[in-house]
Amino acid sequence: MTSRISPGQTVLRAWRPSFQARLPFFHVGAVYILPQAETPCFFISLAPVLVALGVLLLRAFLAIAYRPRWLRPFVTERADDPKSFTGGKATKAPPTLPNALLALAVFGFITQLLAIWLDVQHLTALSRVLAWAITVLLLVVDQPRTAPVTVLLISSSLLLSQLALSYYDTHARSLVVLLHSCEILAALLSIFFILCMPLRDPDLPVDGIGPAFEKPDHRLRSPEDNLTLWQFMSVSWMSSLISVGSERQLNSEDVWKLSFEFQHRLLHKKFRELRGSVVRRLLAANGIDLLILLILGIVEATSNLAQPILLQQLLRAMEDESAPRSKAVTFALLSLGVGLVACQSSVFSLWFSRRSYERSRGEMITMLYEKTLSRKIIGELAVSDNSARTGEGLNDAVPGSDMPVEGSESGLKKAQGPLKAVGRFLKINFWPKSTDKKPQQPASIGKIYNLMRNDVYEVAQRFWEFPSVVRVPLSLILSVVLVWKLIGWPCLFGILTVAVAQSINAVVTRILLRFERKRRAATDQKLKKTTEYVGAIRHLRWYGWQDVWRERIMQARQQELRLFIVTGLLRALINFFNFLASDLFPVAAFYAYTILAGRPLRIDIAFPALQLFNMLENSLQAVPNLITVLLNAKIAVDRIEDFMGEPDKDDPMVRSQFQGHQQIKLQDASFAWPGTSHQVLQDLSLEFPVGLTVVCGKVAAGKTALLQALLGELEWQKGQAVLPNESVGYCAQTPWLQSMNIRENIIFTSPYEEGRYQKVLEACALTPDLAAFKDGDLTNIGENGTGLSGGQKARVALARAVYSPAKILFLDDPLSALDQQTAETIVHKCLRGPLVEARTVVLVTHRTALCKHLAKQVIKVLEGRARVLDPDAIPVMDLSKVVSSDSPEKVRGEDDEAGTPDKFMEDEKRAHGGVKAAIYWEYVKAGKLRWWATLIVIVALHRLVGVGETWFLKAWGEAYDGPQESVASGLFHDLPSPEVNVRPWLLGFSLLAIIQAAVWGIWQCFMVLITYTAGRRMFMDVMKRVSHATFRFYDVTPVGRLMNRLTSDIGTVDGNITSQFEYLAYLVIAWISSVVIIASVTPVFLAFSLSLTAIFVLIFRRFLPTSQSLRRLEMVSLSPLMSNFGALLDGLTTVRAFRAQSSFQDRLIAVTDAFQGMDHFYWSLQAWLMYRFDALSAISSFLLTLLALYTGLTPGLTAFVLIAASNFVRHTHKLCKSYGQLQMDFVSVERVVELLHLEQEPPRTVDPPAWWPSSSGGIVFENVTIRYAPHLEPSLSNISLRIPAGSTTALLGRT
C-alpha cells in the first residue's frame, strides 16, 4: 500500500512495507499509526509523556502516602549533628545550574509549542510538550539543589525519542527540523547539567571530606559524601586512589575513612534501637537498599532478555534481502543502548548491594560483640555436664547436627543405597536413626569466631545477592514468555526436562542441608580446639605436649573435611543434574519443534532460541540454588539467634535495689556457676564495710568464686544479695593485660592525671621496674603481659584497679607472685595509703600476716561456706612459713624477663606487588599435580564439545533451503537434509549434549577432590610449622593475627579458590578457541579482537596493583578485629567489673571501620573496573556486529561469528576479572604459605636413654648468656651454676 503525504506531514513509516498491505492501521488526522510492534514510532513518541506522568504520579504518591520506617534512609547526615563533621562552614553552591535547568526546560517547552504551531498536523510533538511542561513544574516546585534524578529520566526520554523519530521522519519541514534540533540540544544540555550537580545537600559542611580527584588522606572521609552524579555513575572518584596504588604499595594512611552512611558508630546506635528478630532488624535497617535493588534487578533482567530478541531481529534483517542495511544497524544500535543501560544498572546494583552487605555485616559484628560483652560466662563445667548427659563427642555426631528434616522419609530412602556406600568410606552416617534435637549448648570461643567470621558473612551475603531474588523469578517468567513467542508450545518439552531434574535436586538439597549443619558444627569444634591450642601453645611446648594436642586438632579437621567431601559431592550432584537438564532442554524443545510440530529449525530461530534457552535454563537452575543459599542463610541466622538468645549477666539492681554506695551485703545467699545447678557458695551471710576486708582459705575453697559472686558473674540461687552496681576496680588472680604500653594498661578507660598516676606507680612499687625499661611506662608489652615477669604483671593489674576512680576494689591474690620486700612495700604504701581511703577493698590472699593488722574484718572460706574471723584472734605466723599452694609464682617464674623490647608485637607483614608464581605452585603441589593435569584435560574437552555443539547447530540451520544458499560443513556432509530426515541431526545434537553433561559431572568431582587434598595438606603443614616455631614468634605475633590466618585464610583455601583456578583455566581455553574461530573466518575480526584485548589489558593493569594493595590491607585489618574478640573473651570479667563495655565497643567499632573501609574501597575499585569493562564490552559487540554486516558473511556464518565474538568479548572481560579475583583470593594462600616458612626451633638431635635423668646427673650452666632475640640486650649474662640431681633449689631475687 502506498500513499502520498504532503511534506508538512509526519510520516511514521513501517520498516517492512510488504507488511503494510496485510496489516490494519488507524488514521488520526494526517498521522498514520500502525499498531504493530514493527512500527514503534508511535510508542516512541509517547515515551516522554509516559515517563513524565509516571514521575509525577510517584511524586504525588510519596507526598501523600505513609512511608514506613524501612523505606526511609537508615542514617541521615544533618547539619545540626556536631559528630557528623569536623567543623567548618558549608560551601554554598550557586544556583546557576538549577536556574539553567529551568531555562532549558522552558526553552524546550517553547520549541515544541512552536513546532505544533508551524505544523498543526504534527501532533506527536504534543506528548513532548506535556513532558517539558511537567519538567518545568517539577523544577519550579522542587527548586533542586542536588541532582534531580526524575528530571534526568524525563530529559533522557525526550532526547532518545526525538533522536529515534528524527531517524525515520525525513519529510518534516526545515524549520520544524530546526526546532527539533533545538529540543535535542536542550535535552543534551539538561542531562549534562544534571550530571554535574552534586548528590549531597550543598548546605552541609564539606570539611573533613576528601576531594574527589586529590590525593587520598586517612584523616578525611570518602569522596562519596560529596560527589556529582556523573562521578558517582562512572566511579571516577576512585582515580586518585588508583594513581597512588599504581605508583607504590598502598598503606592504611593512603586510604580514606568510610563515608558517613557506612560508619559503624551511627549504624550500631540506630541498629540497637530496632526491635524484633535479627532478620527483622536487618530488613528494617536496609529496606531502602533492597527496594532500589528490586528496581535495578528488573532493569537488569529486562536488559538481558532484550539481547536475544534484538539478535533475532538482526538476523531476520540480514536474511531479508529487500531490507536496507540500516535496519540491521538500527538493531545493533539498540543492542548497544541496552548494553550501556545494563552496564550502568550493574554499577548501581553493585554499589547498593555492597552498601546493604557491608552495613548488615557491620551491624551483626557489633551486635555479636555487644552480646559477648553482656552474656553469662558459662564455663566448661556446664558444657561437660550437658555433654555427659547427651553422650556427645567429637567422634560421634557433631553437636546440634542431627536436625530432623521435614517431609516424607520415603523420598529419602530411595537414595540411601549409594549414599550409604559413600558414607562407609567417609565414616559418615547419612541416615542417623535418632533425629531428636539435642539440648542447646552455650557458644564456645570457637563458635563465636565462626559466627563472626562465617555465619555473619553467610547472612550478609544474601543482602549482596538480593538482586538475584528479584532477577531470577522475573527472568524465569520473561524467558518462558519469550521462548513461547519464539517457538510456541514445543518449549514445554524442554521445561519438562528441567522440572524433572529439579525434582531430583529437591531431595538432594534436603540431604545437603542436613550435612551442612553438621559441617558447620564440625567447624565450630575445630575452631574451638584451634583457639585453645594457639592460646596455650607456649605452655604446651614447655611440657612437650604440642604434638598430642595438634593430633586432636587434626582429628577435628578430618571430621570437618569428611563432611566437606559429602557436601561437596552433593553440590556436584546438584550441578550435574542442572547441567544435564540445561543440555537436554534444547534437545527436547527442538525435538518437539521439528518432529512433532514439523517446522524447520532455521538460523533466525535456532540461535536466538539457544540464547533464550540458556537464560531460561539459568533461571530454572538458579531457583533451587537460590533456595539452597537462602536455607543456608537460615541455618546461619538460627545459629546467630541462638547466640543472641543466650542469657545475659544478671543486673544486680534486679534483686538488690542497690542505691548510691550502699554497703555490700549477703544474707543466706547461695550461688552457682552459670549453666549448672551445683552450688559453689552456700548460705553466705556477710557484709563488706568501707575499708579492707581480707579473704583467706585453702586452695579451691571458693575465694575467687566469692569475688565472682560479688561481681554478679555467678548465678544467684537463693537468699538476699546487695551487690555493687557501679564500676569495680578488679584485679584478677591471673592478670589480664592488653597488647599496648604499660601506661595505657594502667589508666585503662580512665582519664590520665599525672599526679595520681605517679602516686599509683609508687604505691604499687613499679617505679624501679619502669626505670629499668628503655621507654619507661611507654614500653609496649605483648598479649597477656608478654615481656613482663609474673610479679610485674600482678602489679600492673593492681595499679590499674587502684588508679581507677572506683569506690570498690576486688583484689584476687595480687601478692602471691611478689617477693617479701615488694609485698611489704605494697601493703605499706598501697593498702594503708591514701589511695584506698574511703574505698571498700576486698583482698583475697594467703599472706594474712602482712595485712591482717590493716583489715576491718577477715573472712575465711571453707568448702563453699564463709565465716568472719576476729583479726585480733588470728595468731601471728612467720611469713616464711606461709605457703600458697595455688600461688601463680610457681608457674609464672618462667615468664620472668629482665629485658623488654621497644615493641613486642611486630606489624603484620604484607607482600608487595602481584602474587608470586611460587605461591601458585605451592597450592598446585598441595592439590597434587596429577589431579590438576587431569582437570585441565577435562576442561579442554568440555570446551571442545561446547564449540562442536554450536557448530553443529549452525550446520543444521544452514542445511535447510532458504533465502541464503545452504552451506553444509564437511564434518556433517553424510547427514541427510533436515527437510528430508531431521532425526539424525537430533540424535547428533543429543549425543553432544549428553557428552558435555558427563564431562561436566566428572569436572565437578575432580574439583571437590583437589580442594580436599589441598586444604588437608596445607592445614596439616601449617599446624606442624606453627607447633614448632620459635618462641620469639609467639612473643611478637598476637593470637588474633594467628587465628585470622588459621580461620579466614584457611577458610579461603577450603572455599572456592580451586574453582577460581579451574575457571581461569576454562576461560583461557575458551578465549583461545574464540580467537581461533574468529581468525578462521576473517583476518579483520582477528585484528580487531587483538586490539580490543590490548585495551582490556591496559585497563586491567591500571586496576590490579591498587586492588592487590587493598586486598592485603583488608586481610591485615581483619587481624585486630579477631584480636578484639579474643582479648574480650579472655578478660571479659575484668572489662565488666570496670564497666568498660562502652569503651571496648567503641574500640571494636573503630577496628570494624578500618576493616570494612579496606573492603569497601576494594569493591568500589571493582565497580570502577566493571563500568569500564561492561561499557567497552557493549561498544565492542556493536563494532564487531558492524564488521559482520559490512564483510558480506552469510546469515548462518554471521550468527556463528557473532556468538564467537560475543564469547570472545565476554571471555576477555571475565578472564581479566577472574585473574584479578584469583590474585585476590591467593593473597590468603600467600599468607598461609608465609606460615609454612616460619623459623623453627632446632629439632631434637639427642635421644636420651631410658634411664635419663639419673639420680647422679645435674643441671650445669657454664658462662651462659641468653637473650630473647638477636637484636635484644641479654636477659642473663655469663651465668655459671650447678643444680645437683635430686635437690630442691630456690631461686631468689627481686621480682
Side-chain angles (χ1 to χ4, degrees):
M1 186 180 93
T2 59
S3 60
R4 297 285 182 179
I5 302 178
S6 66
Q9 297 174 331
T10 299
V11 180
L12 301 181
R13 296 172 177 264
W15 285 337
R16 302 186 68 171
S18 59
F19 277 86
Q20 294 186 21
R22 296 182 279 122
L23 298 177
F25 67 92
F26 300 98
H27 181 265
V28 181
V31 182
Y32 293 86
I33 303 168
L34 291 170
Q36 302 298 319
E38 298 192 49
T39 54
C41 300
F42 175 67
F43 300 103
I44 292 174
S45 65
L46 288 181
V49 71
L50 293 177
V51 172
L53 289 174
V55 168
L56 199 60
L57 290 175
L58 179 63
R59 285 292 313 278
F61 174 77
L62 293 178
I64 63 175
Y66 167 74
R67 294 179 66 186
R69 183 170 185 171
W70 62 272
L71 276 181
R72 288 172 281 182
F74 190 55
V75 290
T76 52
E77 193 176 14
R78 303 192 312 272
D80 58 350
D81 184 4
K83 295 183 179 180
S84 303
F85 313 103
T86 58
K89 298 180 180 180
T91 302
K92 297 291 184 179
T96 306
L97 291 180
N99 292 339
L101 275 179
L102 180 60
L104 288 171
V106 173
F107 177 72
F109 175 75
I110 293 174
T111 58
Q112 292 309 297
L113 281 180
L114 289 175
I116 294 178
W117 181 72
L118 290 173
D119 191 350
V120 179
Q121 295 178 336
H122 201 287
L123 298 180
T124 54
L126 183 60
S127 66
R128 289 190 294 282
V129 169
L130 293 176
W132 282 112
I134 294 174
T135 303
V136 172
L137 176 64
L138 291 174
L139 291 172
V140 170
V141 172
D142 292 341
Q143 297 182 359
R145 299 177 61 79
T146 59
V149 179
T150 53
V151 176
L152 177 64
L153 291 175
I154 299 174
S155 300
S156 300
S157 65
L158 285 165
L159 174 66
L160 294 175
S161 67
Q162 187 58 64
L163 286 174
L165 291 175
S166 299
Y167 181 78
Y168 297 107
D169 188 3
T170 58
H171 295 79
R173 292 167 56 182
S174 58
L175 189 56
V176 173
V177 172
L178 177 63
L179 292 174
H180 289 339
S181 301
C182 291
E183 183 196 18
I184 291 174
L185 180 62
L188 273 173
L189 290 175
S190 297
I191 293 171
F192 175 76
F193 288 156
I194 293 173
L195 292 177
C196 293
M197 292 181 71
L199 293 172
R200 179 175 180 264
D201 189 351
D203 290 335
L204 295 173
V206 296
D207 288 358
I209 300 177
F213 299 104
E214 295 185 9
K215 186 177 179 180
D217 190 335
H218 70 284
R219 295 168 296 183
L220 301 177
R221 279 161 38 196
S222 168
E224 291 165 289
D225 279 344
N226 193 27
L227 295 177
T228 65
L229 180 58
W230 172 248
Q231 291 168 351
F232 176 68
M233 291 172 61
S234 62
V235 206
S236 58
W237 58 274
M238 284 291 295
S239 59
S240 58
L241 187 64
I242 294 172
S243 298
V244 176
S246 301
E247 296 172 359
R248 58 175 173 82
Q249 179 89 353
L250 288 178
N251 297 311
S252 56
E253 295 79 13
D254 299 319
V255 183
W256 301 287
K257 292 191 296 186
L258 284 170
S259 64
F260 178 85
E261 56 190 10
F262 286 88
Q263 293 180 1
H264 294 86
R265 175 184 63 84
L266 305 165
L267 294 174
H268 179 64
K269 180 181 177 181
K270 296 284 290 183
F271 195 72
R272 293 179 76 248
E273 299 172 358
L274 302 176
R275 294 293 177 263
S277 65
V278 173
V279 173
R280 184 174 180 179
R281 293 162 68 189
L282 289 173
L283 291 176
N286 300 280
I288 186 67
D289 287 340
L290 300 184
L291 178 62
I292 294 172
L293 291 172
L294 174 68
I295 298 172
L296 292 174
I298 294 174
V299 172
E300 191 171 350
T302 306
S303 300
N304 291 335
L305 289 169
Q307 294 291 349
I309 300 174
L310 294 173
L311 176 62
Q312 182 196 25
Q313 297 297 328
L314 175 65
L315 294 175
R316 283 185 177 177
M318 293 184 65
E319 286 183 348
D320 188 357
E321 296 179 351
S322 61
R325 185 176 292 172
S326 60
K327 181 180 177 181
V329 173
T330 301
F331 287 114
L333 282 170
L334 289 175
S335 297
L336 173 63
V338 169
L340 293 176
V341 169
C343 163
Q344 193 64 69
S345 175
S346 298
V347 172
F348 287 156
S349 181
L350 177 62
W351 194 88
F352 284 104
S353 61
R354 284 297 303 182
R355 184 171 77 170
S356 61
Y357 168 79
E358 292 172 22
R359 299 209 303 192
S360 61
R361 182 175 64 178
E363 288 156 358
M364 285 187 285
I365 288 175
T366 55
M367 174 189 71
L368 290 177
Y369 193 80
E370 186 178 43
K371 177 64 180 181
T372 306
L373 282 166
S374 63
R375 75 176 190 129
K376 283 185 178 179
I377 303 176
I378 300 179
E380 293 296 326
L381 177 61
V383 176
S384 62
D385 287 347
N386 291 335
S387 298
R389 287 192 295 268
T390 59
E392 294 172 352
L394 178 65
N395 295 326
D396 302 323
V398 183
S401 62
D402 287 339
M403 303 291 290
V405 178
E406 298 177 1
S408 172
E409 294 292 330
S410 59
L412 299 179
K413 289 180 180 180
K414 296 178 181 179
Q416 288 189 16
L419 287 176
K420 279 185 176 179
V422 178
R424 284 193 296 270
F425 170 73
L426 297 172
K427 300 180 182 178
I428 296 292
N429 183 10
F430 280 81
W431 313 103
K433 296 180 180 179
S434 174
T435 57
D436 296 333
K437 188 173 181 178
K438 296 178 179 177
Q440 182 65 39
Q441 292 186 356
S444 63
I445 182 173
K447 182 173 182 178
I448 293 175
Y449 273 130
N450 203 11
L451 288 173
M452 188 272 291
R453 190 63 187 93
N454 294 321
D455 293 276
V456 162
Y457 280 62
E458 185 73 44
V459 178
Q461 191 79 10
R462 305 290 76 79
F463 285 87
W464 187 0
E465 298 172 354
F466 179 79
S468 63
V469 177
V470 180
R471 187 174 60 250
V472 169
L474 182 63
S475 298
L476 178 62
I477 295 171
L478 293 179
S479 298
V480 170
V481 172
L482 293 176
V483 170
W484 185 280
K485 288 180 67 67
L486 184 65
I487 66 174
W489 59 264
C491 70
L492 296 178
F493 282 74
I495 295 175
L496 181 62
T497 61
V498 178
V500 172
Q502 298 312 322
S503 300
I504 299 173
N505 280 343
V507 177
V508 181
T509 300
R510 294 165 72 182
I511 303 172
L512 172 63
L513 292 177
R514 179 193 295 273
F515 285 96
E516 183 63 25
R517 290 189 179 96
K518 290 187 176 184
R519 187 191 64 80
R520 293 183 186 229
T523 302
D524 291 344
Q525 289 292 321
K526 183 204 70 175
L527 290 179
K528 176 177 179 292
K529 292 182 180 295
T530 304
T531 306
E532 294 170 349
Y533 180 74
V534 170
I537 182 64
R538 190 190 305 271
H539 297 277
L540 294 174
R541 290 282 299 276
W542 287 333
Y543 290 104
W545 293 345
Q546 71 275 6
D547 292 333
V548 177
W549 277 62
R550 180 166 54 87
E551 185 59 31
R552 294 177 183 174
I553 293 176
M554 293 310 302
Q555 290 175 1
R557 170 67 169 171
Q558 189 60 35
Q559 176 73 0
E560 178 192 29
L561 289 177
R562 285 171 182 162
L563 291 165
F564 170 81
I565 291 178
V566 174
T567 55
L569 290 176
L570 289 173
R571 287 192 176 93
L573 187 61
I574 292 173
N575 289 333
F576 169 73
F577 282 122
N578 283 336
F579 200 88
L580 179 63
S582 68
D583 273 356
L584 293 181
F585 187 109
V587 172
F590 289 162
Y591 169 80
Y593 188 80
T594 57
I595 300 296
L596 301 181
R599 303 176 189 174
L601 188 66
R602 299 187 182 277
I603 294 295
D604 63 331
I605 294 294
F607 282 96
L610 204 57
Q611 277 194 320
L612 285 174
F613 288 163
N614 289 332
M615 293 183 179
L616 179 57
E617 294 153 14
N618 291 336
S619 300
L620 288 170
Q621 293 169 10
V623 168
N625 291 338
L626 180 63
I627 295 173
T628 300
V629 297
L630 290 176
L631 290 175
N632 283 336
K634 175 64 167 57
I635 295 173
V637 166
D638 290 343
R639 286 161 52 84
I640 295 174
E641 291 281 12
D642 289 341
F643 178 72
M644 295 300 297
E646 290 187 13
D648 286 339
K649 173 179 174 287
D650 293 335
D651 185 354
M653 291 293 290
V654 172
R655 58 176 180 272
S656 66
Q657 299 181 350
F658 184 81
Q659 296 179 356
H661 298 301
Q662 184 179 342
Q663 184 172 290
I664 303 171
K665 182 177 181 180
L666 303 176
Q667 184 68 41
D668 297 326
S670 297
F671 298 89
W673 291 110
T676 66
S677 58
H678 174 68
Q679 293 180 355
V680 66
L681 297 173
Q682 303 173 23
D683 303 324
L684 301 183
S685 294
L686 301 170
E687 294 187 11
F688 298 87
V690 175
L692 177 62
T693 297
V694 175
V695 179
C696 61
K698 294 181 179 180
V699 178
K703 303 182 297 298
T704 298
L706 176 60
L707 294 187
Q708 296 281 318
L710 297 179
L711 289 172
E713 298 292 347
L714 300 190
E715 285 190 352
W716 170 73
Q717 297 286 313
K718 66 174 184 176
Q720 297 179 355
V722 179
L723 304 179
N725 194 28
E726 58 181 288
S727 176
V728 174
Y730 177 60
C731 177
Q733 186 177 28
T734 302
W736 173 73
L737 301 177
Q738 302 176 84
S739 179
M740 52 182 60
N741 64 48
I742 296 174
R743 178 187 293 182
E744 291 170 334
N745 269 286
I746 292 175
I747 65 175
F748 203 41
T749 59
S750 304
Y752 178 71
E753 300 177 18
E754 177 65 24
R756 178 179 175 81
Y757 177 73
Q758 293 299 331
K759 292 178 182 178
V760 169
L761 294 182
E762 183 67 24
C764 296
L766 283 170
T767 304
D769 299 87
L770 297 180
F773 296 150
K774 177 183 176 182
D775 297 319
D777 64 345
L778 298 181
T779 299
N780 288 291
I781 60 176
E783 288 181 327
N784 292 323
T786 303
L788 300 178
S789 69
Q792 289 169 338
K793 293 178 188 177
R795 283 179 287 138
V796 171
L798 175 63
R800 177 176 58 200
V802 174
Y803 181 82
S804 72
K807 297 295 184 181
I808 301 170
L809 303 181
F810 291 163
L811 311 177
D812 195 351
D813 213 3
L815 305 178
S816 60
L818 307 181
D819 60 86
Q820 170 70 10
Q821 181 182 355
T822 306
E824 289 179 347
T825 301
I826 288 178
V827 170
H828 176 72
K829 293 186 177 181
C830 182
L831 297 181
R832 67 178 298 177
L835 289 172
V836 297
E837 286 183 359
R839 301 171 89 172
T840 300
V841 182
V842 180
L843 172 66
V844 172
T845 184
H846 288 272
R847 292 182 168 182
T848 54
L850 279 175
C851 50
K852 77 176 187 65
H853 62 285
L854 302 176
K856 286 194 174 182
Q857 68 175 355
V858 176
I859 298 174
K860 185 173 183 179
V861 180
L862 182 62
E863 295 181 354
R865 299 179 184 273
R867 62 188 179 92
V868 179
L869 305 178
D870 183 1
D872 296 330
I874 301 175
V876 178
M877 301 192 308
D878 185 16
L879 182 59
S880 62
K881 296 180 181 180
V882 176
V883 178
S884 175
S885 59
D886 62 345
S887 170
E889 189 171 23
K890 293 184 177 180
V891 298
R892 295 177 187 169
E894 301 91 336
D895 289 341
D896 292 346
E897 301 172 8
T900 303
D902 295 341
K903 187 174 183 180
F904 249 93
M905 296 302 174
E906 297 178 350
D907 293 334
E908 189 165 5
K909 297 178 181 178
R910 292 184 289 131
H912 295 264
V915 178
K916 304 297 186 294
I919 305 298
Y920 293 103
W921 182 243
E922 288 282 354
Y923 185 76
V924 170
K925 287 192 300 182
K928 295 191 178 179
L929 296 178
R930 63 177 181 272
W931 301 136
W932 283 108
T934 306
L935 181 64
I936 296 299
V937 172
I938 293 172
V939 172
L941 179 60
H942 182 271
R943 176 58 181 165
L944 180 63
V945 175
V947 173
E949 189 178 29
T950 306
W951 185 264
F952 186 88
L953 189 63
K954 174 255 182 192
W956 186 355
E958 287 189 336
Y960 289 96
D961 292 332
Q964 301 291 336
E965 182 182 356
S966 297
V967 179
S969 171
L971 293 175
F972 313 112
H973 65 277
D974 292 333
L975 295 178
S977 171
E979 291 183 320
V980 177
N981 185 7
V982 77
R983 293 182 185 276
W985 294 91
L986 275 171
L987 181 60
F989 193 68
S990 304
L991 288 175
L992 288 172
I994 294 173
I995 292 172
Q996 193 174 24
V999 173
W1000 172 267
I1002 299 172
W1003 177 354
Q1004 296 301 304
C1005 291
F1006 268 90
M1007 289 291 305
V1008 176
L1009 176 62
I1010 292 175
T1011 305
Y1012 165 80
T1013 306
R1016 181 177 181 275
R1017 180 173 176 180
M1018 294 195 80
F1019 185 82
M1020 181 173 60
D1021 292 345
V1022 163
M1023 291 305 300
K1024 185 175 180 180
R1025 301 291 294 187
V1026 169
S1027 299
H1028 295 278
T1030 60
F1031 280 84
R1032 179 67 181 165
F1033 171 75
Y1034 306 138
D1035 289 340
V1036 301
T1037 305
V1039 172
R1041 182 186 303 171
L1042 187 54
M1043 284 301 301
N1044 184 22
R1045 300 202 180 196
L1046 295 177
T1047 55
S1048 301
D1049 296 321
I1050 289 292
T1052 303
V1053 173
D1054 289 345
N1056 65 342
I1057 196 166
T1058 304
S1059 61
Q1060 288 283 353
F1061 221 142
E1062 59 83 18
Y1063 185 55
L1064 181 69
Y1066 170 78
L1067 289 175
V1068 170
I1069 294 172
W1071 186 87
I1072 293 174
S1073 64
S1074 299
V1075 170
V1076 170
I1077 292 171
I1078 293 173
S1080 65
V1081 176
T1082 172
V1084 178
F1085 272 79
L1086 180 61
F1088 179 81
S1089 301
L1090 294 179
S1091 303
L1092 181 63
T1093 302
I1095 298 174
F1096 272 112
V1097 171
L1098 288 174
I1099 296 174
F1100 181 72
R1101 287 183 57 128
R1102 181 168 171 77
F1103 153 86
L1104 189 59
T1106 307
S1107 67
Q1108 290 170 335
S1109 294
L1110 288 172
R1111 182 66 168 178
R1112 290 187 174 113
L1113 283 172
E1114 176 193 348
M1115 300 308 298
V1116 168
S1117 62
L1118 180 59
S1119 295
L1121 183 62
M1122 304 285 287
S1123 295
N1124 266 271
F1125 269 87
L1128 176 64
L1129 294 170
D1130 292 337
L1132 182 57
T1133 301
T1134 302
V1135 172
R1136 295 205 290 218
F1138 279 87
R1139 296 295 193 270
Q1141 292 96 318
S1142 60
S1143 298
F1144 275 74
Q1145 187 74 36
D1146 291 342
R1147 186 185 304 175
L1148 176 99
I1149 287 173
V1151 299
T1152 305
D1153 276 345
F1155 160 65
Q1156 296 248 98
M1158 303 305 169
D1159 190 41
H1160 173 77
F1161 293 114
Y1162 169 75
W1163 282 101
S1164 297
L1165 190 63
Q1166 290 283 352
W1168 179 90
L1169 181 70
M1170 174 188 290
Y1171 180 80
R1172 282 142 187 83
F1173 269 19
D1174 286 356
L1176 185 60
S1177 297
I1179 296 171
S1180 303
S1181 298
F1182 170 70
L1183 294 178
L1184 285 170
T1185 303
L1186 292 184
L1187 280 177
L1189 289 174
Y1190 287 92
T1191 50
L1193 301 180
T1194 64
L1197 198 55
T1198 299
F1200 182 76
V1201 170
L1202 286 180
I1203 295 295
S1206 176
N1207 288 336
F1208 168 80
V1209 173
R1210 187 174 70 254
H1211 291 149
T1212 305
H1213 179 176
K1214 289 185 176 181
L1215 187 60
C1216 292
K1217 291 186 67 175
S1218 177
Y1219 176 71
Q1221 185 61 47
L1222 187 68
Q1223 286 255 318
M1224 300 308 102
D1225 287 344
F1226 261 81
V1227 169
S1228 293
V1229 180
E1230 179 182 69
R1231 289 158 56 83
V1232 171
V1233 170
E1234 287 177 6
L1235 296 180
L1236 295 177
H1237 297 89
L1238 290 178
E1239 184 182 356
Q1240 302 286 283
E1241 288 286 346
R1244 183 177 62 185
T1245 57
V1246 177
D1247 290 326
W1251 50 263
W1252 188 89
S1254 67
S1255 58
S1256 60
I1259 300 175
V1260 179
F1261 280 69
E1262 292 182 356
N1263 296 323
V1264 175
T1265 298
I1266 297 176
R1267 65 186 75 208
Y1268 282 93
H1271 66 282
L1272 299 180
E1273 294 297 324
S1275 298
L1276 298 174
S1277 300
N1278 301 322
I1279 299 296
S1280 297
L1281 58 89
R1282 180 181 181 85
I1283 302 176
S1287 65
T1288 300
T1289 302
L1291 298 178
L1292 303 179
R1294 187 184 182 280
T1295 178

